[in-house]
Amino acid sequence: VPVARFVPLRLHCVRLLQQLAASTETFIPTSSLLMGVLDLKEISMKPQREGRGGNKSKSAVRGLRLPLILKLPKDGTLRTTEQLDSVLKETFVLLNREVDLYRYSPGVPEFTFAISQRLRKFNKEMNNGRWRAYSKGTIELCEKYSAFAMNGRSTLPDAPKDVKRLEALKPTGTPSMRERYESAIAKEKRLEAAAQPKMKKSDNTRVGDEKKRKGDKNQQQQQEGSGEDADAKSRPSKKRKNKKAVVNQADLKNVD
């Protein structure tokens, strides 16, 4: 099975496992699946921008959206800058969410140690400043949560391995795993919607809108005309007054 080609499917599975862990408040680690993406040989190779003969590669994907696909193109898998940037960005987003889910667990220092160690190695191997910035942000997050857990678990009566409750270090009034996960997903959707370009109306849509406006105008004119006719009918008609005939008495005598 080509592992690199089905990286989007792997990331989909990680999302589902994180959603399940947040909903049930259960420890379901997925960091090994995400670290496996960084171990792919295509990640450390120099990206291809153009194909042979100076033409752009047919496998180059512009505006790649991983949530909408399950696998990458067969030719040139993870060899373009667009594919690498999308995959690594999604990987670090899920890695940050993984660390945030278990931030109040007593065992988070040991959990984040392996992640930080692998990411420091990743920073030494990469020359891309953006990818190193992704990794550096995750390392700082791990160190922040690890320091909080070290201070918090020193007050626990039991050893970290004997604590049964997952979020034993969560302060009172702090959102739960499920609430933090839902908040992160809502924020992600808002950012994604804001980043999408506004679609221009097509010619067919514009023609349809013009026809609709004309139809509304004609309907309005007909309503106005029918209203005028109704007003005219409702007006009272003037009755003609019949003139009374005046009879001259002198003329009647002459007739006799």
Side-chain angles (χ1 to χ4, degrees):
V1 178
V3 179
R5 189 182 180 192
F6 288 93
V7 165
L9 179 59
R10 174 185 291 206
L11 299 179
H12 281 304
C13 294
V14 170
R15 278 184 175 271
L16 294 176
L17 290 174
Q18 290 181 354
Q19 183 180 3
L20 180 62
S23 300
T24 59
E25 295 190 0
T26 309
F27 180 64
I28 306 177
T30 58
S31 57
S32 59
L33 297 175
L34 297 172
M35 293 293 103
V37 176
L38 303 181
D39 293 334
L40 296 175
K41 63 178 182 179
E42 289 84 359
I43 299 296
S44 58
M45 297 173 64
K46 186 176 180 180
Q48 294 179 353
R49 291 184 177 273
E50 296 182 354
R52 297 180 179 179
N55 297 327
K56 291 184 178 180
S57 176
K58 295 181 180 180
S59 61
V61 180
R62 298 291 179 180
L64 182 66
R65 298 184 62 185
L66 292 180
L68 303 180
I69 61 176
L70 294 177
K71 58 184 178 180
L72 296 172
K74 186 175 182 180
D75 298 331
T77 305
L78 277 182
R79 300 298 294 118
T80 63
T81 305
E82 291 78 13
Q83 294 179 13
L84 288 171
D85 190 56
S86 298
V87 167
L88 288 177
K89 182 179 178 180
E90 180 75 4
T91 300
F92 281 107
V93 166
L94 295 177
L95 196 56
N96 291 340
R97 191 168 298 155
E98 174 86 357
V99 176
D100 183 75
L101 284 177
Y102 309 113
R103 59 185 295 185
Y104 297 120
S105 172
V108 73
E110 291 77 15
F111 176 69
T112 58
F113 175 77
I115 297 175
S116 300
Q117 187 178 18
R118 178 63 185 89
L119 293 183
R120 290 189 180 96
K121 181 181 178 183
F122 176 81
N123 286 343
K124 294 180 180 179
E125 296 173 349
M126 291 295 106
N127 296 325
N128 191 300
R130 182 185 301 176
W131 301 343
R132 288 203 306 268
Y134 293 157
S135 177
K136 184 178 179 181
T138 305
I139 293 174
E140 293 176 353
L141 196 66
C142 291
E143 293 176 349
K144 177 182 176 181
Y145 294 158
S146 178
F148 176 83
M150 291 291 290
N151 295 330
R153 73 185 187 180
S154 61
T155 61
L156 296 176
D158 300 328
K161 66 177 182 178
D162 297 329
V163 177
K164 302 299 182 182
R165 192 159 57 95
L166 180 60
E167 293 194 303
L169 304 179
K170 185 171 73 69
T172 305
T174 305
S176 62
M177 286 180 61
R178 182 173 184 176
E179 293 172 346
R180 295 198 305 272
Y181 179 82
E182 291 176 352
S183 177
I185 293 297
K187 182 180 179 181
E188 182 182 358
K189 289 181 178 180
R190 289 195 302 268
L191 293 176
E192 184 179 358
Q196 293 299 322
K198 294 183 179 180
M199 302 297 294
K200 295 182 179 180
K201 291 186 177 181
S202 60
D203 295 337
N204 295 333
T205 306
R206 286 195 295 269
V207 171
D209 292 343
E210 291 178 359
K211 290 183 178 179
K212 184 178 180 181
R213 285 195 297 269
K214 290 181 180 179
D216 295 341
K217 187 176 180 181
N218 294 335
Q219 186 178 1
Q220 184 178 1
Q221 291 177 354
Q222 291 177 0
Q223 291 177 355
E224 291 177 356
S226 59
E228 293 177 357
D229 295 341
D231 292 341
K233 291 179 180 180
S234 62
R235 291 174 187 170
S237 57
K238 295 181 180 180
K239 295 182 179 180
R240 294 181 180 179
K241 294 182 178 181
N242 297 326
K243 294 182 179 181
K244 294 182 178 181
V246 180
V247 181
N248 193 347
Q249 298 293 333
D251 293 338
L252 291 175
K253 291 179 179 180
N254 296 331
V255 171
D256 295 338

